[in-house]
Amino acid sequence: MAKEGVEKAEETEQMIEKEAGKEPAEGGGGGSHRLGDAQEMRAVVLAGFGGLNKLRVTRKAMPEPQDGELKIRVKACGLNFIDLMVRQGNIDNPPKTPLVPGFECSGIVEALGDSVKGYEIGDRVMAFVNYNAWAEVVCTPVEFVYKIPDGMSFSEAAALPTNFVTAYMMLFEVANLREGMSVLVHSAGGGVGQAVAQLCSTIPNVTVFGTASTFKHEAIKDSVTHLFDRNADYVQEVKRISAEGVDIVLDCLCGDNTGKGLSLLKPLGTYILYGSSNMVTGETKSFFSFAKSVSIRARLTHYGEAVIRML
């Protein structure tokens, strides 16, 4: 199921590139365009929830920064699983369409709103945005913008906000990762999974157990201590290596994997549900059916010393 989600995300990216290639390059490619008195930009617009045919590259009015905002010329933007969920309408309180998707980007500061301090036009930055990242230009509050180190590319910076902040919060603010602990992370080949592995490597003697589709193993084998096929019996493999189980389980799949993760959790361990890939791919359609299917209350009685966290 997770593989399907990855493939759909890749299809989305390919579609965007194809549609962008059809767009006539008015006024010199990636710059701003002027139609009458209004400046315009290109953006990927989601016309309605559903398949790839709902996405189009079109022109929109260029935004201007309000008080406390920065205007950023986008050089790269993130494409995450949440974007797939938004495209399909599988999120709580989905926004109205049409809309411009995307929650993270990197680029160059092009203009400053009133009261903005600490930034100058021309600064290289990465930013969180509330949608609208899949566009040539975006405006976002200054508190969600961060300068990019000199040695970091725009592509690398665009991959940081969602994936690494999620991974950091789970490992250090919720699970209190410490030296010598062990972590089981599902979808180890995904953005958050790779961020988890990299952050775990900053703490001595942390063992990372990862599950991923086999076609990703070659690319990520050096970043994970023990790597398993998510469709195989990884529970027995983990128990063979660590009879007591693991200290932390990071579950982005839910469904059957939740029960497996709980069975591997050490006493006083931390289980974190931070996503639900199977909701999108069809195995579980809602959080409520997920909760019913795994019988969390019953499992908590059995694993009474476990700490259950949901993000």
Side-chain angles (χ1 to χ4, degrees), residues 24-34 59:
E26 299 178 14
S32 60
H33 313 286
R34 186 175 293 276
R59 297 199 187 280

mmCIF file of all heavy atoms in Angstrom, residues 24-34 59:
data_model
loop_
_atom_site.group_PDB
_atom_site.id
_atom_site.type_symbol
_atom_site.label_atom_id
_atom_site.label_comp_id
_atom_site.label_asym_id
_atom_site.label_seq_id
_atom_site.Cartn_x
_atom_site.Cartn_y
_atom_site.Cartn_z
ATOM 1 N N PRO A 24 3.130 28.125 -22.323
ATOM 2 C CA PRO A 24 3.933 29.046 -23.123
ATOM 3 C C PRO A 24 4.777 29.950 -22.247
ATOM 4 O O PRO A 24 4.325 30.442 -21.227
ATOM 5 C CB PRO A 24 2.885 29.866 -23.904
ATOM 6 C CG PRO A 24 1.630 29.735 -23.117
ATOM 7 C CD PRO A 24 1.674 28.378 -22.499
ATOM 8 N N ALA A 25 6.018 30.123 -22.641
ATOM 9 C CA ALA A 25 6.947 30.930 -21.843
ATOM 10 C C ALA A 25 6.792 32.392 -22.207
ATOM 11 O O ALA A 25 7.508 32.921 -23.054
ATOM 12 C CB ALA A 25 8.380 30.473 -22.083
ATOM 13 N N GLU A 26 5.842 33.054 -21.567
ATOM 14 C CA GLU A 26 5.616 34.463 -21.836
ATOM 15 C C GLU A 26 6.573 35.310 -21.006
ATOM 16 O O GLU A 26 6.811 35.049 -19.844
ATOM 17 C CB GLU A 26 4.175 34.844 -21.471
ATOM 18 C CG GLU A 26 3.133 34.074 -22.265
ATOM 19 C CD GLU A 26 1.740 34.443 -21.833
ATOM 20 O OE1 GLU A 26 1.582 35.468 -21.134
ATOM 21 O OE2 GLU A 26 0.799 33.717 -22.174
ATOM 22 N N GLY A 27 7.105 36.321 -21.609
ATOM 23 C CA GLY A 27 7.927 37.262 -20.862
ATOM 24 C C GLY A 27 9.221 36.675 -20.358
ATOM 25 O O GLY A 27 9.799 37.165 -19.402
ATOM 26 N N GLY A 28 9.707 35.557 -20.969
ATOM 27 C CA GLY A 28 11.018 35.078 -20.580
ATOM 28 C C GLY A 28 11.015 34.024 -19.501
ATOM 29 O O GLY A 28 11.703 34.156 -18.512
ATOM 30 N N GLY A 29 10.240 32.973 -19.643
ATOM 31 C CA GLY A 29 10.367 31.794 -18.796
ATOM 32 C C GLY A 29 9.843 31.991 -17.408
ATOM 33 O O GLY A 29 8.688 32.263 -17.197
ATOM 34 N N GLY A 30 10.754 31.862 -16.381
ATOM 35 C CA GLY A 30 10.308 31.779 -15.003
ATOM 36 C C GLY A 30 10.061 33.105 -14.333
ATOM 37 O O GLY A 30 9.769 33.136 -13.150
ATOM 38 N N GLY A 31 10.187 34.224 -15.005
ATOM 39 C CA GLY A 31 9.956 35.510 -14.372
ATOM 40 C C GLY A 31 8.491 35.828 -14.268
ATOM 41 O O GLY A 31 7.629 35.035 -14.603
ATOM 42 N N SER A 32 8.198 37.031 -13.782
ATOM 43 C CA SER A 32 6.795 37.432 -13.681
ATOM 44 C C SER A 32 6.284 37.860 -15.051
ATOM 45 O O SER A 32 7.043 38.236 -15.934
ATOM 46 C CB SER A 32 6.663 38.579 -12.681
ATOM 47 O OG SER A 32 7.435 39.692 -13.097
ATOM 48 N N HIS A 33 4.981 37.768 -15.221
ATOM 49 C CA HIS A 33 4.339 38.136 -16.473
ATOM 50 C C HIS A 33 3.316 39.219 -16.184
ATOM 51 O O HIS A 33 2.709 39.255 -15.125
ATOM 52 C CB HIS A 33 3.664 36.907 -17.089
ATOM 53 C CG HIS A 33 4.547 35.694 -17.104
ATOM 54 N ND1 HIS A 33 5.596 35.551 -17.969
ATOM 55 C CD2 HIS A 33 4.540 34.585 -16.313
ATOM 56 C CE1 HIS A 33 6.199 34.397 -17.733
ATOM 57 N NE2 HIS A 33 5.582 33.795 -16.737
ATOM 58 N N ARG A 34 3.105 40.090 -17.142
ATOM 59 C CA ARG A 34 2.183 41.191 -16.913
ATOM 60 C C ARG A 34 1.050 41.123 -17.934
ATOM 61 O O ARG A 34 1.278 41.011 -19.121
ATOM 62 C CB ARG A 34 2.913 42.538 -17.033
ATOM 63 C CG ARG A 34 2.056 43.732 -16.658
ATOM 64 C CD ARG A 34 2.874 45.009 -16.693
ATOM 65 N NE ARG A 34 3.873 45.038 -15.671
ATOM 66 C CZ ARG A 34 3.666 45.431 -14.411
ATOM 67 N NH1 ARG A 34 2.455 45.775 -14.032
ATOM 68 N NH2 ARG A 34 4.652 45.455 -13.540
ATOM 69 N N ARG A 59 -2.060 30.253 -14.860
ATOM 70 C CA ARG A 59 -1.574 31.549 -14.392
ATOM 71 C C ARG A 59 -2.518 32.102 -13.331
ATOM 72 O O ARG A 59 -3.732 31.965 -13.422
ATOM 73 C CB ARG A 59 -1.465 32.532 -15.553
ATOM 74 C CG ARG A 59 -0.450 32.096 -16.611
ATOM 75 C CD ARG A 59 -0.026 33.273 -17.469
ATOM 76 N NE ARG A 59 0.819 32.853 -18.574
ATOM 77 C CZ ARG A 59 2.117 32.593 -18.466
ATOM 78 N NH1 ARG A 59 2.699 32.696 -17.292
ATOM 79 N NH2 ARG A 59 2.815 32.225 -19.521
#
